[in-house]
Amino acid sequence: ASAFPESSRINKKIVVSLINIGIQFIKTRQYPIALEYMDKALVRDPGNPHAKKKTKQLRKIIEKTQRQMREYHEQKSRQNL
Protein backbone atom coordinates (compact mmCIF):
# COMPACT_ATOMS: atom_id res chain seq x y z
CA ALA A 1 0.00 0.00 0.00
CA SER A 2 1.06 3.56 -0.64
CA ALA A 3 2.36 5.72 2.18
CA PHE A 4 -0.16 8.29 0.98
CA PRO A 5 -3.34 6.44 -0.07
CA GLU A 6 -5.15 9.76 -0.49
CA SER A 7 -2.67 11.02 -3.08
CA SER A 8 -3.99 8.73 -5.84
CA ARG A 9 -7.57 9.80 -5.18
CA ILE A 10 -6.59 13.47 -5.03
CA ASN A 11 -4.63 13.14 -8.27
CA LYS A 12 -7.69 11.69 -10.02
CA LYS A 13 -9.78 14.64 -8.82
CA ILE A 14 -7.15 17.08 -10.05
CA VAL A 15 -7.07 15.36 -13.46
CA VAL A 16 -10.88 15.53 -13.74
CA SER A 17 -10.76 19.21 -12.74
CA LEU A 18 -8.09 20.01 -15.34
CA ILE A 19 -10.14 18.27 -18.05
CA ASN A 20 -13.28 20.16 -16.98
CA ILE A 21 -11.45 23.50 -17.09
CA GLY A 22 -10.15 22.58 -20.55
CA ILE A 23 -13.69 21.80 -21.69
CA GLN A 24 -14.85 25.24 -20.54
CA PHE A 25 -12.16 26.80 -22.73
CA ILE A 26 -13.31 24.61 -25.65
CA LYS A 27 -16.83 26.00 -25.19
CA THR A 28 -15.47 29.55 -25.60
CA ARG A 29 -13.33 28.44 -28.57
CA GLN A 30 -10.07 29.17 -26.73
CA TYR A 31 -8.48 26.02 -28.12
CA PRO A 32 -4.79 26.67 -27.31
CA ILE A 33 -5.64 27.29 -23.64
CA ALA A 34 -7.89 24.21 -23.59
CA LEU A 35 -5.00 22.18 -25.01
CA GLU A 36 -2.73 23.39 -22.20
CA TYR A 37 -5.18 22.04 -19.62
CA MET A 38 -5.51 18.70 -21.42
CA ASP A 39 -1.71 18.46 -21.54
CA LYS A 40 -1.55 19.18 -17.80
CA ALA A 41 -4.10 16.40 -17.20
CA LEU A 42 -2.01 14.01 -19.30
CA VAL A 43 1.14 14.83 -17.33
CA ARG A 44 -0.68 13.68 -14.18
CA ASP A 45 -2.46 10.74 -15.86
CA PRO A 46 -0.82 9.83 -19.21
CA GLY A 47 -3.35 7.10 -19.96
CA ASN A 48 -6.49 9.17 -19.36
CA PRO A 49 -8.75 8.38 -22.35
CA HIS A 50 -10.77 11.62 -22.12
CA ALA A 51 -7.70 13.86 -22.04
CA LYS A 52 -6.08 11.86 -24.86
CA LYS A 53 -9.18 12.14 -27.06
CA LYS A 54 -9.65 15.86 -26.42
CA THR A 55 -5.94 16.54 -26.98
CA LYS A 56 -6.09 14.81 -30.36
CA GLN A 57 -9.25 16.74 -31.34
CA LEU A 58 -7.78 20.06 -30.18
CA ARG A 59 -4.55 19.57 -32.11
CA LYS A 60 -6.60 18.94 -35.30
CA ILE A 61 -8.76 22.04 -34.69
CA ILE A 62 -5.73 24.25 -33.99
CA GLU A 63 -3.88 22.90 -37.03
CA LYS A 64 -6.92 23.47 -39.26
CA THR A 65 -7.42 27.00 -37.92
CA GLN A 66 -3.76 27.87 -38.48
CA ARG A 67 -3.94 26.48 -42.02
CA GLN A 68 -7.08 28.51 -42.76
CA MET A 69 -5.47 31.68 -41.40
CA ARG A 70 -2.36 31.08 -43.51
CA GLU A 71 -4.48 30.56 -46.63
CA TYR A 72 -6.53 33.67 -45.86
CA HIS A 73 -3.41 35.83 -45.46
CA GLU A 74 -1.85 34.39 -48.62
CA GLN A 75 -5.03 35.17 -50.54
CA LYS A 76 -5.14 38.71 -49.13
CA SER A 77 -1.50 39.35 -50.04
CA ARG A 78 -2.15 38.13 -53.61
CA GLN A 79 -5.11 40.50 -53.90
CA ASN A 80 -2.93 43.42 -52.82
CA LEU A 81 -0.40 42.84 -55.62
Side-chain angles (χ1 to χ4, degrees), residues 1 4 6 21-22 28 31 35 46 57 67 75:
F4 302 101
E6 291 291 305
I21 292 167
T28 58
Y31 303 123
L35 182 59
Q57 290 172 338
R67 190 172 57 247
Q75 188 178 15

PDB file of all heavy atoms in Angstrom, residues 1 4 6 21-22 28 31 35 46 57 67 75:
ATOM      1  N   ALA A   1       0.838  -1.192   0.000  1.00  0.00           N
ATOM      2  CA  ALA A   1       0.000   0.000   0.000  1.00  0.00           C
ATOM      3  C   ALA A   1       0.872   1.240   0.000  1.00  0.00           C
ATOM      4  O   ALA A   1       1.975   1.226   0.517  1.00  0.00           O
ATOM      5  CB  ALA A   1      -0.925   0.001   1.208  1.00  0.00           C
ATOM      6  N   PHE A   4       0.847   7.244   1.056  1.00  0.00           N
ATOM      7  CA  PHE A   4      -0.160   8.294   0.975  1.00  0.00           C
ATOM      8  C   PHE A   4      -1.341   7.800   0.141  1.00  0.00           C
ATOM      9  O   PHE A   4      -1.465   8.137  -1.034  1.00  0.00           O
ATOM     10  CB  PHE A   4       0.417   9.566   0.327  1.00  0.00           C
ATOM     11  CG  PHE A   4       1.605  10.110   1.053  1.00  0.00           C
ATOM     12  CD1 PHE A   4       2.887   9.879   0.594  1.00  0.00           C
ATOM     13  CD2 PHE A   4       1.437  10.868   2.206  1.00  0.00           C
ATOM     14  CE1 PHE A   4       3.982  10.383   1.255  1.00  0.00           C
ATOM     15  CE2 PHE A   4       2.531  11.373   2.872  1.00  0.00           C
ATOM     16  CZ  PHE A   4       3.817  11.139   2.409  1.00  0.00           C
ATOM     17  N   GLU A   6      -4.302   8.667  -0.003  1.00  0.00           N
ATOM     18  CA  GLU A   6      -5.150   9.763  -0.492  1.00  0.00           C
ATOM     19  C   GLU A   6      -4.598  10.362  -1.780  1.00  0.00           C
ATOM     20  O   GLU A   6      -5.355  10.893  -2.578  1.00  0.00           O
ATOM     21  CB  GLU A   6      -5.235  10.862   0.573  1.00  0.00           C
ATOM     22  CG  GLU A   6      -6.014  10.473   1.812  1.00  0.00           C
ATOM     23  CD  GLU A   6      -7.492  10.331   1.533  1.00  0.00           C
ATOM     24  OE1 GLU A   6      -8.090  11.288   1.026  1.00  0.00           O
ATOM     25  OE2 GLU A   6      -8.041   9.261   1.814  1.00  0.00           O
ATOM     26  N   ILE A  21     -11.851  22.120 -16.774  1.00  0.00           N
ATOM     27  CA  ILE A  21     -11.448  23.496 -17.091  1.00  0.00           C
ATOM     28  C   ILE A  21     -11.153  23.591 -18.585  1.00  0.00           C
ATOM     29  O   ILE A  21     -11.583  24.545 -19.257  1.00  0.00           O
ATOM     30  CB  ILE A  21     -10.225  23.922 -16.251  1.00  0.00           C
ATOM     31  CG1 ILE A  21     -10.614  24.031 -14.771  1.00  0.00           C
ATOM     32  CG2 ILE A  21      -9.660  25.257 -16.754  1.00  0.00           C
ATOM     33  CD1 ILE A  21      -9.437  24.145 -13.821  1.00  0.00           C
ATOM     34  N   GLY A  22     -10.443  22.600 -19.113  1.00  0.00           N
ATOM     35  CA  GLY A  22     -10.150  22.582 -20.546  1.00  0.00           C
ATOM     36  C   GLY A  22     -11.411  22.599 -21.378  1.00  0.00           C
ATOM     37  O   GLY A  22     -11.501  23.314 -22.378  1.00  0.00           O
ATOM     38  N   THR A  28     -15.660  28.145 -25.203  1.00  0.00           N
ATOM     39  CA  THR A  28     -15.467  29.546 -25.600  1.00  0.00           C
ATOM     40  C   THR A  28     -14.472  29.664 -26.766  1.00  0.00           C
ATOM     41  O   THR A  28     -13.970  30.741 -27.050  1.00  0.00           O
ATOM     42  CB  THR A  28     -15.010  30.405 -24.400  1.00  0.00           C
ATOM     43  OG1 THR A  28     -13.794  29.864 -23.871  1.00  0.00           O
ATOM     44  CG2 THR A  28     -16.066  30.436 -23.311  1.00  0.00           C
ATOM     45  N   TYR A  31      -9.064  27.352 -27.947  1.00  0.00           N
ATOM     46  CA  TYR A  31      -8.484  26.024 -28.121  1.00  0.00           C
ATOM     47  C   TYR A  31      -7.053  25.875 -27.600  1.00  0.00           C
ATOM     48  O   TYR A  31      -6.749  24.863 -26.969  1.00  0.00           O
ATOM     49  CB  TYR A  31      -8.598  25.586 -29.577  1.00  0.00           C
ATOM     50  CG  TYR A  31     -10.026  25.599 -30.081  1.00  0.00           C
ATOM     51  CD1 TYR A  31     -10.392  26.352 -31.187  1.00  0.00           C
ATOM     52  CD2 TYR A  31     -11.024  24.877 -29.430  1.00  0.00           C
ATOM     53  CE1 TYR A  31     -11.716  26.369 -31.648  1.00  0.00           C
ATOM     54  CE2 TYR A  31     -12.344  24.883 -29.878  1.00  0.00           C
ATOM     55  CZ  TYR A  31     -12.675  25.641 -30.988  1.00  0.00           C
ATOM     56  OH  TYR A  31     -13.975  25.659 -31.420  1.00  0.00           O
ATOM     57  N   LEU A  35      -6.032  23.183 -24.781  1.00  0.00           N
ATOM     58  CA  LEU A  35      -5.002  22.176 -25.010  1.00  0.00           C
ATOM     59  C   LEU A  35      -3.991  22.151 -23.864  1.00  0.00           C
ATOM     60  O   LEU A  35      -3.561  21.080 -23.431  1.00  0.00           O
ATOM     61  CB  LEU A  35      -4.296  22.437 -26.349  1.00  0.00           C
ATOM     62  CG  LEU A  35      -3.209  21.441 -26.749  1.00  0.00           C
ATOM     63  CD1 LEU A  35      -3.754  20.026 -26.847  1.00  0.00           C
ATOM     64  CD2 LEU A  35      -2.578  21.861 -28.071  1.00  0.00           C
ATOM     65  N   PRO A  46      -1.118  10.005 -17.780  1.00  0.00           N
ATOM     66  CA  PRO A  46      -0.815   9.827 -19.213  1.00  0.00           C
ATOM     67  C   PRO A  46      -1.783   8.905 -19.964  1.00  0.00           C
ATOM     68  O   PRO A  46      -1.932   9.035 -21.172  1.00  0.00           O
ATOM     69  CB  PRO A  46       0.597   9.237 -19.207  1.00  0.00           C
ATOM     70  CG  PRO A  46       1.165   9.613 -17.889  1.00  0.00           C
ATOM     71  CD  PRO A  46       0.012   9.660 -16.935  1.00  0.00           C
ATOM     72  N   GLN A  57      -8.263  15.885 -30.657  1.00  0.00           N
ATOM     73  CA  GLN A  57      -9.248  16.737 -31.338  1.00  0.00           C
ATOM     74  C   GLN A  57      -8.766  18.193 -31.377  1.00  0.00           C
ATOM     75  O   GLN A  57      -8.876  18.860 -32.405  1.00  0.00           O
ATOM     76  CB  GLN A  57     -10.595  16.664 -30.617  1.00  0.00           C
ATOM     77  CG  GLN A  57     -11.292  15.336 -30.760  1.00  0.00           C
ATOM     78  CD  GLN A  57     -12.526  15.225 -29.870  1.00  0.00           C
ATOM     79  OE1 GLN A  57     -12.664  15.934 -28.867  1.00  0.00           O
ATOM     80  NE2 GLN A  57     -13.427  14.313 -30.212  1.00  0.00           N
ATOM     81  N   ARG A  67      -4.005  26.651 -40.567  1.00  0.00           N
ATOM     82  CA  ARG A  67      -3.937  26.480 -42.021  1.00  0.00           C
ATOM     83  C   ARG A  67      -4.889  27.465 -42.712  1.00  0.00           C
ATOM     84  O   ARG A  67      -4.537  28.109 -43.692  1.00  0.00           O
ATOM     85  CB  ARG A  67      -4.262  25.032 -42.398  1.00  0.00           C
ATOM     86  CG  ARG A  67      -3.984  24.699 -43.843  1.00  0.00           C
ATOM     87  CD  ARG A  67      -4.120  23.208 -44.158  1.00  0.00           C
ATOM     88  NE  ARG A  67      -5.442  22.684 -43.826  1.00  0.00           N
ATOM     89  CZ  ARG A  67      -5.693  21.800 -42.852  1.00  0.00           C
ATOM     90  NH1 ARG A  67      -4.726  21.321 -42.108  1.00  0.00           N
ATOM     91  NH2 ARG A  67      -6.919  21.374 -42.626  1.00  0.00           N
ATOM     92  N   GLN A  75      -4.053  34.671 -49.579  1.00  0.00           N
ATOM     93  CA  GLN A  75      -5.032  35.166 -50.538  1.00  0.00           C
ATOM     94  C   GLN A  75      -5.092  36.695 -50.493  1.00  0.00           C
ATOM     95  O   GLN A  75      -5.118  37.360 -51.528  1.00  0.00           O
ATOM     96  CB  GLN A  75      -6.403  34.563 -50.225  1.00  0.00           C
ATOM     97  CG  GLN A  75      -7.455  34.858 -51.252  1.00  0.00           C
ATOM     98  CD  GLN A  75      -8.791  34.184 -50.915  1.00  0.00           C
ATOM     99  OE1 GLN A  75      -8.998  33.738 -49.777  1.00  0.00           O
ATOM    100  NE2 GLN A  75      -9.679  34.125 -51.861  1.00  0.00           N
TER     101      GLN A  75
END
